[in-house]
Amino acid sequence: MVRISVIRGDGIGPKIVDATLKVLEEVSDLYNLGLEFIDAPAGDNTLREFGEALPRSSLEKIASSDACLKGPVGETAKDVIVYLRQYLDLYANIRPFKTFRGIKSYRRNIDFVIVRENTEDLYRGVEDVGPDHAVSLLIITRKRTERIAKTAFDLASRRRKKVTIIHKGNVLRSYLFFRDVALEVGRRYSDVNVEDMYVDNAAYQLIVNPERFDIILTPNMFGDILSDEAAGLIGSIGLTCSANISERYGLFEPVHGSAPDINPEYANPLGQLLTASMMLEWLSYKKEETEFMEASIQIREAVEAILENGSTLTPDLGGRARTDDVINKIIEYIRKKFI
Ligand code: ATP
């Protein structure tokens, strides 16, 4: 059995997570994956019901599972995801951005991955705020920069072999340190091209020439900001997925939030579903079992086919379909392909 803890979250979360679980149950049967799902409540609804956004019992279920599939969480995101990243030392935040045929995007051939350090920088949260001052410490350490740089260069080796290190070393020496340590790691990868770029220029290049990027390696805060810009580039934040990983554990979540402003029945489930596909890919490496990779690819292909076909799209993509319509189409496609 492969134990997957599940945080259904808030807003559209329960709807798109349940929809995704339907697809996962289907591929688990077809590919004999032995997936078992364990409900681990967390978020605003959980806070209201149990008095805690991340109860101890949920934390234990998550920590003892093989991986976690997380839906979006509302106002308590900091108590849930920021805490889990630190608690499980999920130091690498991997966010792929790729254009889909059939979906309107700013450019056609966008295909890059943001590799964001997940545990330090200004988001470490070492702060002091008084009536007349506010101070936040920008912390960058060699050990944590080396391990995220290694993740980025390893990934680049399996892709188009280019890493762009993002920093703001012309103003802050801490970011110059980040760049220099990352460059040192990069010297071990003779087949990977490396460049470095100020974050303001990166924000500009993402708009005017996004095709130039393969792997974007960035400290925590810049990665947070550039990710939303990147999501805008590919057409809808509802199509974006991400992984938070360490050597031993992976937590997978869409980039988007709980979307409290829309009717959950019409939420786009595809970002959450691509997140599940990413989880299966990671499990295939971890368990060295190819069935997980096959199931992952099958889900991704189903998503691409539904988007290219264009007849069953949710309102964020210009269609009128419900979440359930999209998921039924996906399951139909996967069943047909399997036979
Ligand atoms: P939160 O406050 O939890 O971060 P949010 O809705 O304020 O959530 P985002 O999730 O980043 O922030 O959403 C930005 C916009 O995109 C919102 O208008 C939201 O309704 C829409 N959106 C986000 N995800 C989806 C989705 N899966 N399907 C449809 N629309 C979405």
Side-chain angles (χ1 to χ4, degrees), residues 12 73-74 237-238 256-262 267-268 316:
I12 61 171
V73 163
I237 197 165
H256 64 76
S258 61
D261 55 332
I262 66 165
N268 183 350
D316 58 306

Side-chain angles (χ1 to χ4, degrees), residues 82 86 116 119-125 220-221 224-225:
V82 179
Q86 299 280 347
R116 166 189 171 199
T119 64
E120 54 183 10
D121 192 358
L122 279 167
Y123 288 10
R124 190 63 190 263
N220 204 339
M221 187 172 69
D224 186 13
I225 299 164

